Amino acid sequence: DLGDFGSANGVDFSASGTTCTVALRLGADVQIAWLGDCRAMVATVTPTSKKVDLIVRGHTTADAKELMRVERLGAVVREVPPGSGLKRIFLRDQQAPGLFVTRALGDAMAQELGVAWQPDIRKMSFAKTPGLVVLGSGGLWDALDDGR
């Protein structure tokens, strides 16, 4: 397993993690699962109209509900850099891990602080109209606003 590999090779994976978004299409149904700052957008596209049907929100400290959840579970949240409005998750009296995401795969060090690995899941259907699904990492969504 990964822990054994890390131990055998002198690699500490406790502060390593990732975020992801996955879409699964079965017939006309699409299920989207995401965690962290990766997100998805679903749109209906016809010859006469284009409409955004769903934009999933990232799991970050910018979401008040996610922020309250990790604080309730013991995370120390600091604004870094001070005055920036960007809140990051830390162990008490430590400079680590410094996460902006509140859900991730891995990041074992942060799991005790409430950083969870459970995704949110949404189900949609393209049975009546054609649809488009856009999956992207935090870097993409940081460059776009939800109105575009």
Side-chain angles (χ1 to χ4, degrees):
D1 87 337
L2 190 59
D4 292 338
F5 174 83
S7 295
N9 292 284
V11 179
D12 178 8
F13 288 113
S14 67
S16 297
T18 192
T19 64
C20 71
T21 303
V22 176
L24 173 65
R25 184 170 182 170
L26 297 171
D29 293 331
V30 176
Q31 293 188 41
I32 298 170
W34 75 99
L35 56 79
D37 59 352
C38 290
R39 298 171 51 198
M41 177 184 73
V42 179
T44 302
V45 181
T46 68
T48 58
S49 72
K50 297 173 187 152
K51 177 182 150 222
V52 174
D53 299 305
L54 172 72
I55 298 177
V56 301
R57 302 282 173 225
H59 301 115
T60 70
T61 58
D63 180 305
K65 191 170 145 185
E66 287 288 303
L67 179 62
M68 285 176 35
R69 183 179 61 74
V70 295
E71 286 179 324
R72 187 176 60 252
L73 293 168
V76 173
V77 178
R78 290 187 224 131
E79 197 171 320
V80 178
S84 67
L86 300 173
K87 296 178 180 175
R88 297 194 171 267
I89 299 167
F90 294 91
L91 290 165
R92 189 165 310 284
D93 301 321
Q94 304 245 349
Q95 294 300 314
L99 292 175
F100 178 59
V101 297
T102 55
R103 299 190 195 196
L105 297 173
D107 284 313
M109 174 191 301
Q111 287 179 2
E112 67 188 72
L113 304 175
V115 174
W117 53 265
Q118 296 89 349
D120 275 335
I121 301 171
R122 295 286 184 275
K123 182 178 178 182
M124 300 197 66
S125 176
F126 293 139
K128 296 182 181 177
T129 56
L132 169 73
V133 178
V134 177
L135 307 178
S137 68
L140 171 69
W141 298 111
D142 288 347
L144 299 175
D145 64 41
D146 289 346
R148 287 200 216 171

